[in-house]
Structures are given as structure tokens and as C-alpha cells.
Amino acid sequence: MLADPAAVRLARDAAQEEAGSEHVGAHVGLLAEDETSVTHFFEAEHAGYRGWQWAVTVAYAGEGSPVSVSEAVLLPGNDALVAPQWVPWNERVRAGDLGVGDLLPASPDDPRLAPGYVESEDPAVEEVALEVGLGRVRVLSREGVLDAAERWHGGDFGPRSEMARSAPAACGTCGFYLRIAGALGSAFGVCGNELTPADGHVVHVEYGCGAHSEVEVEGGSAVPVADVVYDDALLEVEVNEPAAKATDEVVAEAADGAAGEGDTPGAVDGVERVSDADGAAGAADASGVSDASGVSAGTTAR
């Protein structure tokens, strides 16, 4: 009875009454709520409600009673365009959203904070509270300290940042590193170098940058230069000729020099002939002496 055509028409009429002038689409299904009630679904053709459906619940009170409409509502379907789930304002705020003049109070049950009369597990905080005789209303809890340390460690000034990986040394050995007091001082400090992007920020002890106080830069050109540079455009090439050819040239040069010293081009030949004549004259003189000696010796003997 609750699913017969009469019940469907009754549900459509109720949906159309709710929709007003908007047309109610086709019947797309039904859902049995219990033994006495069924919900019928119709496509909603209302502008801006794509995927939504009219849901009309009809009920039957028992034998002798007519089928009646319990409720008619507009509900989103499986592929309906809906607004994102509502998030409280204090959970929507993200780092960097706080502007000048904005107020952002902490919730009373913020797990990052603990009452001031409870030990903060930070000796420096306890020492200050003891000296002044009173403490802050709330201080960082252990969860708050660990949350801050994890956030700073993974931030832009942590040991895994791009700047830290290319640094020549870590902040822990830098003269500009200002170690903070308390439990976090073993891992974090504040940068005091105005020339770095980390100036005034909390930095990890293993963070680093190129402005380390002990960094040294070698003087000279930043471009490596070789000790000897050959310029191919001005390179002079000398060809070594064979030794025999060089000897012939030396002899020819000597002959040319001797020729230049004589009166005639044949001076060299003249020198050679004179030398030959002197040799012959010397030989003749020697023969004459021998002959004269021989004659004299012969005469004496007779």
C-alpha cells in the first residue's frame, strides 16, 4: 500500500507543494523506514541544487486509516554539490592568519598550555617563577613544548632545509648563534646575524647558512685558472729539418763566406793552387839539398 502508485502520487503532490513553482522530477526510488512508513525520492530540478532529491515520507496507521504524509524535505544525493563540513573558527585559523589588531584567544582546554602552578618540566621557567614569588597563569605543557620543537625542526630553519644542506657549517658553532634557555636550549637558539634570512628567528642547532662566523673564502679569482695557458692563435711552430741537410747548409755557408773575402769569385781556387805550388817548391828544395850533398860527397871521395 505504501509503495503503490497512489502512495507515489500522494508523495509527489506533497513534494510539489514544497517546491512551489519549481518542477519536481521523476520518481527515483524509495526506502522503507519501518513496517508502517516509506520514504519516496524524486529528482529536484531546482536551480543550483544539482544532485539533490525531494524526500517524502508516507505512513500508514493501520487498517481503515488512509495513507498520510509525515514529512517532505530536500536532501542531497550521492553526487550532490554540497558545502564543506563546518569547522569551528578556532580550528580554521592557520599560521600566518593573525594580522595587525587581530585577537586570537587560546581556548581554556588548550592542550599546549598548563596552569602556572603545575610544574612545566622546564628548569628555567621554574627558576624564574620561584624568584618573583609567582608565575604566569599558564605555561607551556610538555605537549606544547614537543609540538613547538617538532614544528621548528621541520620548518624553514630546521636541519633539513635547503639552506642548511648547502651551508659550510652548522649554527651550533657560529658566533651569531644565541642559545635559548630552558629545555629547548639543547636543540634551538636564535640567529643574531642581520645579514641572514634567519635573523631574529628560532633556528635549529644543526641549521646553517653561508654567513657562518667562521667561514673563510680564499682570495683570488673565483674562476680556476691554469698555471700555463697556451694561445693557439699566436702559437709559433718551428720544423726541425734532417741533420744531413743541415750539414750541407753549413758547408755552403762557409764557402760563401770564403768567397766573400777574396778579390775574385775564384779566390778559393787560387788559394788551393797557391797551396799546391808551395808544396811543390818545398819538395824541390829538399831534392836540391840532397843532390848537392851527393856531388860534394862524391868529389871529396875522388
Side-chain angles (χ1 to χ4, degrees):
M1 177 181 293
L2 296 177
D4 59 14
V8 174
R9 285 195 300 271
L10 178 63
R12 177 181 290 277
D13 292 341
Q16 188 63 62
E17 183 179 355
E18 289 292 330
S21 59
E22 296 289 339
H23 177 70
V24 176
H27 183 262
V28 293
L30 56 86
L31 174 65
E33 304 291 349
D34 52 35
E35 296 180 356
T36 61
S37 61
V38 172
T39 299
H40 294 271
F41 297 95
F42 304 89
E43 291 183 350
E45 298 183 357
H46 187 71
Y49 285 81
R50 178 180 58 83
W52 287 62
Q53 299 173 350
W54 287 105
V56 181
T57 302
V58 296
Y60 174 61
E63 187 177 355
S65 62
V67 176
S68 62
V69 176
S70 296
E71 63 177 353
V73 293
L74 186 62
L75 298 178
N78 294 332
D79 58 345
L81 181 63
V82 295
Q85 185 178 2
W86 184 80
V87 180
W89 70 268
N90 59 333
E91 298 180 11
R92 293 197 299 266
V93 178
R94 294 291 180 266
D97 292 346
L98 190 67
V100 178
D102 294 341
L103 300 178
L104 183 61
S107 61
D109 57 349
D110 193 327
R112 300 171 300 171
L113 298 173
Y117 56 82
V118 178
E119 290 187 358
S120 62
E121 300 184 6
D122 191 331
V125 174
E126 299 299 329
E127 182 180 355
V128 173
L130 181 63
E131 288 180 356
V132 300
L134 51 88
R136 291 169 288 177
V137 177
R138 288 190 290 179
V139 295
L140 272 179
S141 64
R142 178 177 179 81
E143 181 178 350
V145 172
L146 295 178
D147 178 67
E150 182 178 0
R151 186 172 63 254
W152 295 342
H153 184 276
D156 294 338
F157 305 111
R160 296 188 178 91
S161 64
E162 184 177 356
M163 180 73 77
R165 291 198 300 267
S166 61
C171 287
T173 59
C174 181
F176 296 105
Y177 180 75
L178 305 174
R179 184 174 178 270
I180 62 177
L184 292 175
S186 60
F188 297 98
V190 178
C191 178
N193 189 343
E194 63 177 344
L195 302 179
T196 71
D199 181 39
H201 293 273
V202 176
V203 295
H204 193 271
V205 67
E206 296 180 2
Y207 175 77
C209 67
H212 192 280
S213 62
E214 309 307 321
V215 70
E216 296 181 0
V217 179
E218 296 182 359
S221 175
V223 179
V225 180
D227 295 336
V228 179
V229 178
Y230 293 97
D231 189 349
D232 296 341
L234 301 177
L235 186 62
E236 297 180 358
V237 179
E238 296 181 359
V239 180
N240 295 327
E241 297 183 356
K245 185 176 180 181
T247 303
D248 295 342
E249 290 182 353
V250 171
V251 174
E253 290 178 358
D256 293 340
E261 294 176 357
D263 297 334
T264 62
V268 175
D269 296 337
V271 171
E272 292 178 353
R273 286 194 296 271
V274 170
S275 298
D276 294 342
D278 292 342
D285 292 342
S287 300
V289 171
S290 299
D291 294 341
S293 299
V295 171
S296 175
T299 304
T300 304
R302 283 194 295 266

